Amino acid sequence: MTRKLLNHLVEGPGTAPALLLGPSLGTSYALWDQVAPELSVTHRVVRWDLPGHGGSAPDLIGPGATVGDLAALVLDLADSLGIDRFACAGVSLGGAVGLYLAVHHPERVSSLAVICSSAHFNGSKPWQERAQLVRREGLTALAENANSRWFTAGFTVPRLVEDHRNADPEAYAACCDALAAFDLRDRLPEISAPTLLIAGRQDPATPPAHLREIADAVASATLVELPGASHLAPAQCPAAVLTALRAHFGGGAKRGMEVRREVLGDAHVDRAQARQTPFTARFQDFISRYAWGEIWTDPTLSRRERSMITLTALVAHGHYDELAMHVRAARRGGLTPEEIGAVLLQTAVYCGVPAANSAFATAQRVLAEEEGDDGATG
């Protein structure tokens, strides 16, 4: 018999690194609506629903459930999708699941982000009382007060409040049981995955002190505090959360900058950085992350092959300033003047003689400058 899986949504390229996103108690994967699509540019993003929340079946857990039970459901989901190792981020209860996985299944977790969460949730009594209340009266009263627990005054996300109202009471109460029993403080030093902690400074449920406690115990931790954010930071401050997650999980901009320097040289990249303005900053970040951090790092083609393709494309579109830059890059990458000439001769057939004529003039100038530099440095 096939085991039931958590309801989930998969976004992004199937070959990209996997990133699992967990929700807070009372919400669905809609909590990530303003963040996940952006993360899916560079990751295979899997958003999941808690049992009895969103589209997940309520009978996936029962009374006395633990965070370990929820973590096992997440691993079942990852296995069903063929995901062996993944990054994960979670809010509140979703963050607790991430912490549990990082401690008990370190071989599965490549990196971790814990958002508005804790290694403990203020003892068992409040959660036991809430579980009893929900089992007795349902979720209507709690949903009415969701905004004050989740957001700062005057802010709301109606979809999330509706998710709270529509959650299954028994499954919600079982999640409360899991929070009541959760305390991972003595195991935090065992976490080896790079860990990002994001705290909302206005969060009444898991104040920044809870995230600082984790940061102090985890050797590879970084802490970010968001002014004006309450408990559901990805919904209230999506841009700030996205920036922090992208920097933590991506590494694309950092690796891209390394490759950019290897291919183009420090002098060129330093000049480009010096010319950067607030207006061009996002474009420069895009180039570093996407062109250099993803395309030029793809091992399918060698850098020599990529240089030849790039030279051809630049000739085809008449981008001769860029061509000069990439002739220099091709020489740095090991292409000989004869090989560069052969590429440009090929463009005469497929891009046109006038285009190739201009390309030869540009390349000859660059090669002559290089020859002069070689002579000057002896």
Side-chain angles (χ1 to χ4, degrees):
M1 181 177 177
T2 303
R3 185 173 180 180
K4 290 182 183 177
L5 296 174
L6 295 169
N7 184 56
H8 58 281
L9 175 65
V10 181
E11 302 162 282
T15 57
L19 170 57
L20 275 56
L21 302 180
S24 169
L25 177 66
T27 70
S28 71
Y29 64 53
L31 174 59
W32 294 98
D33 276 354
Q34 297 185 73
V35 176
E38 293 288 338
L39 293 174
S40 70
V41 173
T42 55
H43 286 79
R44 182 188 183 192
V45 174
V46 181
R47 302 192 243 170
W48 51 271
D49 282 334
L50 289 162
H53 295 64
S56 285
D59 60 354
L60 285 166
I61 57 171
T66 66
V67 170
D69 295 332
L70 295 172
L73 291 170
V74 171
L75 290 180
D76 285 345
L77 174 60
D79 291 343
S80 75
L81 296 172
I83 297 171
D84 179 56
R85 190 164 166 81
F86 49 84
C88 61
V91 181
S92 196
L93 179 52
V97 170
L99 287 170
Y100 184 95
L101 288 169
V103 167
H104 293 277
H105 301 278
E107 75 286 354
R108 303 295 298 267
V109 179
S110 59
S111 55
L112 171 67
V114 179
I115 304 169
C116 300
S117 188
S118 183
H120 64 98
F121 289 84
N122 297 314
S124 60
K125 185 177 180 181
W127 297 104
Q128 291 169 346
E129 291 175 347
R130 187 185 292 195
Q132 292 170 2
L133 174 67
V134 170
R135 288 182 172 116
R136 185 173 64 249
E137 300 181 10
L139 285 161
T140 302
L142 275 179
E144 292 300 321
N145 297 319
N147 283 329
S148 63
R149 301 196 312 275
W150 286 351
F151 305 117
T152 56
F155 188 90
T156 188
V157 179
R159 163 72 188 276
L160 296 179
V161 176
E162 191 65 17
D163 284 337
H164 192 343
R165 186 174 289 109
N166 292 333
D168 180 82
E170 284 298 326
Y172 184 101
C175 288
C176 290
D177 293 340
L179 287 166
F182 184 70
D183 191 339
L184 212 61
R185 281 175 285 186
D186 63 338
R187 303 291 300 273
L188 292 176
E190 300 174 33
I191 294 177
S192 57
T195 302
L196 172 68
L197 294 314
I198 300 179
R201 287 190 184 167
Q202 309 302 317
D203 182 359
T206 52
H210 285 242
L211 283 302
R212 293 188 202 117
E213 185 175 38
I214 302 171
D216 288 342
V218 177
S220 57
T222 301
L223 173 64
V224 174
E225 295 187 18
L226 303 182
S230 188
H231 193 53
L232 300 189
Q236 187 169 8
C237 302
V241 171
L242 176 62
T243 298
L245 293 180
R246 189 177 268 161
H248 180 63
F249 290 130
K254 180 180 179 182
R255 176 58 181 148
M257 187 59 73
E258 292 171 355
V259 173
R260 191 177 178 186
R261 288 184 178 279
E262 291 168 5
V263 174
L264 301 180
D266 289 334
H268 171 83
V269 176
D270 288 344
R271 286 193 299 271
Q273 292 292 96
R275 292 194 299 268
Q276 180 174 298
T277 68
F279 181 70
T280 64
R282 290 187 66 189
F283 178 70
Q284 290 294 321
D285 178 67
F286 166 77
I287 292 297
S288 292
R289 283 188 296 104
Y290 188 64
W292 297 106
E294 294 183 45
I295 302 303
W296 277 83
T297 56
D298 182 347
T300 308
L301 298 176
S302 70
R303 287 192 187 170
R304 285 171 52 83
E305 291 168 327
R306 290 190 184 281
S307 281
M308 289 188 242
I309 293 167
T310 302
L311 293 174
T312 303
L314 293 172
V315 173
H317 288 275
H319 300 311
Y320 298 114
D321 288 340
E322 290 274 318
L323 177 65
M325 177 180 74
H326 277 278
V327 168
R328 296 186 187 96
R331 292 290 290 128
R332 286 177 60 85
L335 284 177
T336 66
E338 291 75 18
E339 288 171 324
I340 292 171
V343 170
L344 298 184
L345 188 60
Q346 184 96 353
T347 68
V349 177
Y350 293 97
C351 303
V353 170
N357 185 48
S358 297
F360 268 105
T362 298
Q364 182 167 301
R365 171 176 56 81
V366 171
L367 295 171
E369 291 171 356
E370 181 185 73
E371 185 177 321
D373 289 343
D374 288 345
T377 57

